[in-house]
């Protein structure tokens, strides 16, 4: 198993930390992982993205042009990465703020109302965990018990009291993910 | 069981430095390597091991602090990225001349000038060929994983002290910024002056003891005859290093028809390109130089008898390719491929270049 994905959105949406939690969950499952962020001026208020690879084998290139999955959280990222999904791959996006929805016919497309559900939970910060939940529902590449361990590892101890809230958000994401098209 | 951590390459260097028993770090922040000094400041190694961590007022100050501490026989390091390394070149040449061991970490970004903060491998010339003046060499290690970022810290110091020569970890923005699994080395204790004397010989300015001449650390010798003799001594040392310390990784070279030579992140990207090439029926091998100086000349020369063509892949306009061509000495075609100026080539682009320039070319 090798899953190559990109998570892209605005800086501050929790894009990088979502990738980090996924990577840590992969480690807990004894898999090889890599996490390669965009860095520099663009992540300070602009767009941020991270490519994450989780694999049973030693990972060669951490830098990729095309991905099995793209998780897209703003229009700029949709413009940039819709074309980067392998044919037959997965595009998961939050329709909030998306003016031009994806038009490709050769990929699987799902939506998750992450921003909306996070506001219903009265916890905007859980946005990225709702999106992570939606992804894990579609591609259960790591077990939930290992996601729990991943949260424990990647969050500093002073934030551990927030883990139940994060896990609740993951469940919400798993329930609320919606199919747009499958190929 | 060993603890597996998820760390950035820059953080791995910093933690490995504490664990290697480094006495001091002097640096000045610059993207994309600022996490090295950030991590050290957060970890407060002065409380853990007594290691000094200091943000100097400039790169020039930092490298000269390294000179001073190294002259006292201390295990000392600095880190920077390309424009900052340019500023340090004077001090690096002085340390090579004065035969001082130290570790310099360069997390390369695109140039020339201030350039860009994005990854590049265009510092090959300034580190491998000597960006400073005079006939000198640096021992240059090129990690391609976060694990190697950690492992090469101790290796670099071992080599630096063994040969009394500055050693370099030449990384780039990809390896510095990415996170991977890393198993950290065990904690070593910092050496005392006496232990340094015993292990590496008494050359440092640790205070004159009875029964030995005073130790002098300098790169200045105005008598040309003596300066020439000193240069002969340096050249003999470089020859010994060339004979003994070449390191490389060979992947799928046994029955390869074509060869890629690539280091650091380009080696990782090329490995993926080689897997893609195998699906198309091409047998492509990879030589990944781990030491860029001394360069793995012999193995590349040997493989030049076997393969039909060689592609040198690096994120530059073509720097290492010169050493590949010297190694091959005209036996087969050698071409260069690489994006540069902060752009990182993808595996698809490397495969395309391999097909166009070598296989069909």
């Amino acid at each position: 198993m090798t899953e190559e994905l990109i998570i892209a959105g605005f800086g501050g949406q929790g894009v990088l930390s979502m990738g980090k939690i996924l990577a840590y969950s992969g480690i807990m499952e004894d898999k090889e992982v890599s996490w390669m962020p965009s860095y520099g001026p663009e992540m300070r208020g602009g767009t941020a993205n991270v490519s994450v690879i989780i694999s049973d084998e030693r990972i060669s290139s951490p830098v990729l042009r095309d991905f099995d999955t793209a998780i897209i959280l703003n229009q700029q990222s949709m413009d940039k990465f819709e074309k980067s999904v392998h044919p037959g791959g997965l595009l998961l996006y939050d329709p909030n703020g998306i003016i031009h929805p994806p038009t490709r016919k050769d990929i699987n497309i799902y939506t998750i109302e992450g921003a909306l559900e996070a506001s219903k939970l009265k916890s905007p910060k859980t946005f990225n965990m709702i999106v992570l939940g939606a992804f894990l529902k579609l591609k259960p590449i790591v077990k939930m018990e290992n996601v729990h361990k991943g949260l424990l590892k990647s969050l500093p101890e002073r934030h551990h009291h927030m883990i139940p809230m994060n896990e609740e958000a993951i469940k919400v994401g798993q329930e609320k993910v919606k199919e747009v098209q499958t190929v | 069981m060993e603890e597996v951590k998820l760390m950035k390459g820059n953080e791995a260097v910093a933690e490995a430095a504490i664990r290697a028993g480094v006495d001091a770090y002097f640096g000045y922040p610059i993207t994309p390597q600022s996490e090295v000094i950030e991590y050290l400041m957060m970890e407060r190694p002065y409380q853990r091991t007594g290691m000094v961590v200091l943000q100097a007022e400039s790169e020039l100050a930092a490298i000269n602090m390294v000179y001073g501490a190294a002259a006292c026989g201390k295990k000392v390091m600095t880190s920077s990225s390309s424009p900052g390394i340019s500023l340090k070149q004077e001090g690096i040449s002085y340390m090579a001349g004065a035969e001082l061991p130290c570790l310099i970490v360069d997390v390369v970004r695109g140039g020339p000038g201030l350039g860009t903060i994005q990854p590049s491998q265009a510092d090959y010339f300034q580190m491998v060929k000597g960006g400073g003046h005079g006939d000198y060499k640096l021992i240059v290690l090129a990690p391609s994983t976060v694990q190697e970022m950690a492992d090469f810290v101790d290796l670099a110091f071992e080599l630096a002290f063994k040969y009394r020569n500055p050693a370099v970890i030449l990384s780039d923005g990809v390896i510095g910024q990415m996170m991977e699994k890393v198993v950290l080395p065990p904690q070593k204790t910092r050496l005392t002056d006496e232990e340094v004397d015993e292990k590496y010989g008494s050359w440092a300015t640790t205070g004159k003891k009875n029964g030995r001449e005073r130790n002098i650390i300098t790169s200045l010798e105005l008598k040309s005859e003596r300066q020439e003799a000193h240069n002969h001594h340096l050249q003999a040392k470089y020859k010994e290093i060339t004979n003994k310390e070449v390191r490389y990784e060979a992947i799928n070279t046994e029955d390869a028809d074509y060869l890629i030579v690539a280091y650091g992140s380009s080696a990782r990207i090329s490995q993926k390109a080689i897997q893609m090439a195998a699906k198309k029926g091409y047998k492509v091998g990879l030589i990944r130089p781990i030491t860029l100086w001394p360069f793995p000349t012999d193995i590349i020369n040997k493989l030049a008898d076997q393969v039909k063509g060689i592609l040198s892949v690096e994120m530059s306009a073509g720097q290492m390719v010169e050493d590949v061509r010297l190694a091959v000495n005209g036996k087969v075609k050698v071409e260069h491929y690489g994006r540069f100026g902060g752009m990182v080539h993808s595996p698809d682009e490397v495969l395309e270049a391999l097909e166009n320039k070598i296989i069909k070319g």
Side-chain angles (χ1 to χ4, degrees), chain A residues 5-24:
Chain A
L5 69 149
I6 184 146
I7 310 168
F10 286 119
Q13 276 180 318
V15 165
L16 300 184
S17 59
M18 188 196 324
K20 191 174 168 184
I21 289 163
L22 193 56
Y24 250 123

PDB file of all heavy atoms in Angstrom, chain A residues 5-24:
ATOM      1  N   LEU A   5      -0.735  11.815  -1.084  1.00  0.00           N
ATOM      2  CA  LEU A   5      -1.788  12.821  -1.105  1.00  0.00           C
ATOM      3  C   LEU A   5      -1.255  14.221  -0.902  1.00  0.00           C
ATOM      4  O   LEU A   5      -0.159  14.421  -0.367  1.00  0.00           O
ATOM      5  CB  LEU A   5      -2.884  12.502  -0.082  1.00  0.00           C
ATOM      6  CG  LEU A   5      -2.605  12.603   1.407  1.00  0.00           C
ATOM      7  CD1 LEU A   5      -3.862  12.986   2.138  1.00  0.00           C
ATOM      8  CD2 LEU A   5      -2.096  11.274   1.928  1.00  0.00           C
ATOM      9  N   ILE A   6      -2.065  15.179  -1.350  1.00  0.00           N
ATOM     10  CA  ILE A   6      -1.756  16.580  -1.089  1.00  0.00           C
ATOM     11  C   ILE A   6      -2.947  17.194  -0.375  1.00  0.00           C
ATOM     12  O   ILE A   6      -4.101  16.912  -0.700  1.00  0.00           O
ATOM     13  CB  ILE A   6      -1.403  17.348  -2.386  1.00  0.00           C
ATOM     14  CG1 ILE A   6      -0.992  18.780  -2.030  1.00  0.00           C
ATOM     15  CG2 ILE A   6      -2.543  17.360  -3.402  1.00  0.00           C
ATOM     16  CD1 ILE A   6       0.058  19.367  -2.910  1.00  0.00           C
ATOM     17  N   ILE A   7      -2.641  17.989   0.645  1.00  0.00           N
ATOM     18  CA  ILE A   7      -3.671  18.723   1.370  1.00  0.00           C
ATOM     19  C   ILE A   7      -3.357  20.200   1.132  1.00  0.00           C
ATOM     20  O   ILE A   7      -2.232  20.636   1.380  1.00  0.00           O
ATOM     21  CB  ILE A   7      -3.628  18.414   2.883  1.00  0.00           C
ATOM     22  CG1 ILE A   7      -3.597  16.897   3.117  1.00  0.00           C
ATOM     23  CG2 ILE A   7      -4.816  19.048   3.603  1.00  0.00           C
ATOM     24  CD1 ILE A   7      -3.257  16.506   4.559  1.00  0.00           C
ATOM     25  N   ALA A   8      -4.343  20.950   0.619  1.00  0.00           N
ATOM     26  CA  ALA A   8      -4.044  22.334   0.232  1.00  0.00           C
ATOM     27  C   ALA A   8      -5.181  23.256   0.623  1.00  0.00           C
ATOM     28  O   ALA A   8      -6.362  22.916   0.458  1.00  0.00           O
ATOM     29  CB  ALA A   8      -3.806  22.412  -1.268  1.00  0.00           C
ATOM     30  N   GLY A   9      -4.818  24.417   1.150  1.00  0.00           N
ATOM     31  CA  GLY A   9      -5.833  25.395   1.536  1.00  0.00           C
ATOM     32  C   GLY A   9      -5.175  26.689   1.957  1.00  0.00           C
ATOM     33  O   GLY A   9      -4.066  27.004   1.517  1.00  0.00           O
ATOM     34  N   PHE A  10      -5.862  27.447   2.826  1.00  0.00           N
ATOM     35  CA  PHE A  10      -5.290  28.679   3.355  1.00  0.00           C
ATOM     36  C   PHE A  10      -4.374  28.367   4.530  1.00  0.00           C
ATOM     37  O   PHE A  10      -4.617  27.404   5.273  1.00  0.00           O
ATOM     38  CB  PHE A  10      -6.391  29.615   3.865  1.00  0.00           C
ATOM     39  CG  PHE A  10      -7.179  30.289   2.783  1.00  0.00           C
ATOM     40  CD1 PHE A  10      -8.544  30.079   2.661  1.00  0.00           C
ATOM     41  CD2 PHE A  10      -6.553  31.153   1.889  1.00  0.00           C
ATOM     42  CE1 PHE A  10      -9.277  30.711   1.661  1.00  0.00           C
ATOM     43  CE2 PHE A  10      -7.280  31.791   0.890  1.00  0.00           C
ATOM     44  CZ  PHE A  10      -8.644  31.565   0.777  1.00  0.00           C
ATOM     45  N   GLY A  11      -3.363  29.228   4.739  1.00  0.00           N
ATOM     46  CA  GLY A  11      -2.593  29.153   5.974  1.00  0.00           C
ATOM     47  C   GLY A  11      -3.532  29.425   7.142  1.00  0.00           C
ATOM     48  O   GLY A  11      -4.384  30.304   7.054  1.00  0.00           O
ATOM     49  N   GLY A  12      -3.434  28.632   8.208  1.00  0.00           N
ATOM     50  CA  GLY A  12      -4.300  28.830   9.367  1.00  0.00           C
ATOM     51  C   GLY A  12      -5.476  27.864   9.408  1.00  0.00           C
ATOM     52  O   GLY A  12      -6.160  27.745  10.414  1.00  0.00           O
ATOM     53  N   GLN A  13      -5.708  27.137   8.304  1.00  0.00           N
ATOM     54  CA  GLN A  13      -6.817  26.163   8.288  1.00  0.00           C
ATOM     55  C   GLN A  13      -6.411  24.840   8.945  1.00  0.00           C
ATOM     56  O   GLN A  13      -7.237  23.964   9.110  1.00  0.00           O
ATOM     57  CB  GLN A  13      -7.256  25.875   6.843  1.00  0.00           C
ATOM     58  CG  GLN A  13      -8.238  26.885   6.286  1.00  0.00           C
ATOM     59  CD  GLN A  13      -8.640  26.539   4.858  1.00  0.00           C
ATOM     60  OE1 GLN A  13      -7.804  26.144   4.045  1.00  0.00           O
ATOM     61  NE2 GLN A  13      -9.914  26.685   4.550  1.00  0.00           N
ATOM     62  N   GLY A  14      -5.144  24.705   9.274  1.00  0.00           N
ATOM     63  CA  GLY A  14      -4.703  23.460   9.893  1.00  0.00           C
ATOM     64  C   GLY A  14      -4.263  22.419   8.879  1.00  0.00           C
ATOM     65  O   GLY A  14      -4.262  21.215   9.159  1.00  0.00           O
ATOM     66  N   VAL A  15      -3.899  22.894   7.693  1.00  0.00           N
ATOM     67  CA  VAL A  15      -3.478  21.998   6.617  1.00  0.00           C
ATOM     68  C   VAL A  15      -2.230  21.205   7.031  1.00  0.00           C
ATOM     69  O   VAL A  15      -2.196  19.970   6.929  1.00  0.00           O
ATOM     70  CB  VAL A  15      -3.187  22.829   5.340  1.00  0.00           C
ATOM     71  CG1 VAL A  15      -2.413  22.018   4.324  1.00  0.00           C
ATOM     72  CG2 VAL A  15      -4.487  23.359   4.746  1.00  0.00           C
ATOM     73  N   LEU A  16      -1.214  21.932   7.521  1.00  0.00           N
ATOM     74  CA  LEU A  16       0.048  21.269   7.862  1.00  0.00           C
ATOM     75  C   LEU A  16      -0.144  20.329   9.047  1.00  0.00           C
ATOM     76  O   LEU A  16       0.410  19.226   9.076  1.00  0.00           O
ATOM     77  CB  LEU A  16       1.143  22.300   8.167  1.00  0.00           C
ATOM     78  CG  LEU A  16       1.501  23.268   7.028  1.00  0.00           C
ATOM     79  CD1 LEU A  16       2.659  24.167   7.437  1.00  0.00           C
ATOM     80  CD2 LEU A  16       1.834  22.544   5.740  1.00  0.00           C
ATOM     81  N   SER A  17      -0.959  20.748  10.029  1.00  0.00           N
ATOM     82  CA  SER A  17      -1.109  19.883  11.204  1.00  0.00           C
ATOM     83  C   SER A  17      -1.964  18.662  10.875  1.00  0.00           C
ATOM     84  O   SER A  17      -1.749  17.585  11.425  1.00  0.00           O
ATOM     85  CB  SER A  17      -1.646  20.653  12.409  1.00  0.00           C
ATOM     86  OG  SER A  17      -2.883  21.223  12.101  1.00  0.00           O
ATOM     87  N   MET A  18      -2.913  18.812   9.955  1.00  0.00           N
ATOM     88  CA  MET A  18      -3.679  17.634   9.533  1.00  0.00           C
ATOM     89  C   MET A  18      -2.727  16.602   8.924  1.00  0.00           C
ATOM     90  O   MET A  18      -2.796  15.405   9.229  1.00  0.00           O
ATOM     91  CB  MET A  18      -4.742  18.021   8.495  1.00  0.00           C
ATOM     92  CG  MET A  18      -5.685  16.894   8.156  1.00  0.00           C
ATOM     93  SD  MET A  18      -6.691  17.099   6.641  1.00  0.00           S
ATOM     94  CE  MET A  18      -7.066  18.802   6.591  1.00  0.00           C
ATOM     95  N   GLY A  19      -1.820  17.100   8.084  1.00  0.00           N
ATOM     96  CA  GLY A  19      -0.838  16.206   7.473  1.00  0.00           C
ATOM     97  C   GLY A  19       0.051  15.555   8.513  1.00  0.00           C
ATOM     98  O   GLY A  19       0.404  14.379   8.419  1.00  0.00           O
ATOM     99  N   LYS A  20       0.413  16.336   9.532  1.00  0.00           N
ATOM    100  CA  LYS A  20       1.306  15.821  10.575  1.00  0.00           C
ATOM    101  C   LYS A  20       0.619  14.716  11.386  1.00  0.00           C
ATOM    102  O   LYS A  20       1.231  13.693  11.708  1.00  0.00           O
ATOM    103  CB  LYS A  20       1.708  16.983  11.490  1.00  0.00           C
ATOM    104  CG  LYS A  20       2.814  16.649  12.440  1.00  0.00           C
ATOM    105  CD  LYS A  20       3.260  17.900  13.204  1.00  0.00           C
ATOM    106  CE  LYS A  20       4.147  17.534  14.364  1.00  0.00           C
ATOM    107  NZ  LYS A  20       4.520  18.703  15.166  1.00  0.00           N
ATOM    108  N   ILE A  21      -0.664  14.941  11.706  1.00  0.00           N
ATOM    109  CA  ILE A  21      -1.402  13.924  12.477  1.00  0.00           C
ATOM    110  C   ILE A  21      -1.545  12.641  11.650  1.00  0.00           C
ATOM    111  O   ILE A  21      -1.347  11.536  12.156  1.00  0.00           O
ATOM    112  CB  ILE A  21      -2.776  14.484  12.912  1.00  0.00           C
ATOM    113  CG1 ILE A  21      -2.559  15.554  13.994  1.00  0.00           C
ATOM    114  CG2 ILE A  21      -3.699  13.375  13.420  1.00  0.00           C
ATOM    115  CD1 ILE A  21      -3.741  16.462  14.240  1.00  0.00           C
ATOM    116  N   LEU A  22      -1.813  12.815  10.354  1.00  0.00           N
ATOM    117  CA  LEU A  22      -1.917  11.653   9.469  1.00  0.00           C
ATOM    118  C   LEU A  22      -0.570  10.912   9.407  1.00  0.00           C
ATOM    119  O   LEU A  22      -0.515   9.678   9.485  1.00  0.00           O
ATOM    120  CB  LEU A  22      -2.346  12.125   8.077  1.00  0.00           C
ATOM    121  CG  LEU A  22      -2.801  11.077   7.072  1.00  0.00           C
ATOM    122  CD1 LEU A  22      -3.949  10.241   7.632  1.00  0.00           C
ATOM    123  CD2 LEU A  22      -3.218  11.736   5.764  1.00  0.00           C
ATOM    124  N   ALA A  23       0.521  11.681   9.291  1.00  0.00           N
ATOM    125  CA  ALA A  23       1.850  11.065   9.214  1.00  0.00           C
ATOM    126  C   ALA A  23       2.171  10.319  10.514  1.00  0.00           C
ATOM    127  O   ALA A  23       2.669   9.186  10.492  1.00  0.00           O
ATOM    128  CB  ALA A  23       2.905  12.129   8.939  1.00  0.00           C
ATOM    129  N   TYR A  24       1.890  10.948  11.656  1.00  0.00           N
ATOM    130  CA  TYR A  24       2.144  10.290  12.940  1.00  0.00           C
ATOM    131  C   TYR A  24       1.297   9.023  13.091  1.00  0.00           C
ATOM    132  O   TYR A  24       1.764   8.006  13.618  1.00  0.00           O
ATOM    133  CB  TYR A  24       1.886  11.253  14.111  1.00  0.00           C
ATOM    134  CG  TYR A  24       3.159  11.670  14.805  1.00  0.00           C
ATOM    135  CD1 TYR A  24       3.505  13.012  14.919  1.00  0.00           C
ATOM    136  CD2 TYR A  24       4.024  10.715  15.342  1.00  0.00           C
ATOM    137  CE1 TYR A  24       4.690  13.397  15.544  1.00  0.00           C
ATOM    138  CE2 TYR A  24       5.200  11.090  15.966  1.00  0.00           C
ATOM    139  CZ  TYR A  24       5.538  12.429  16.059  1.00  0.00           C
ATOM    140  OH  TYR A  24       6.698  12.804  16.663  1.00  0.00           O
TER     141      TYR A  24
END
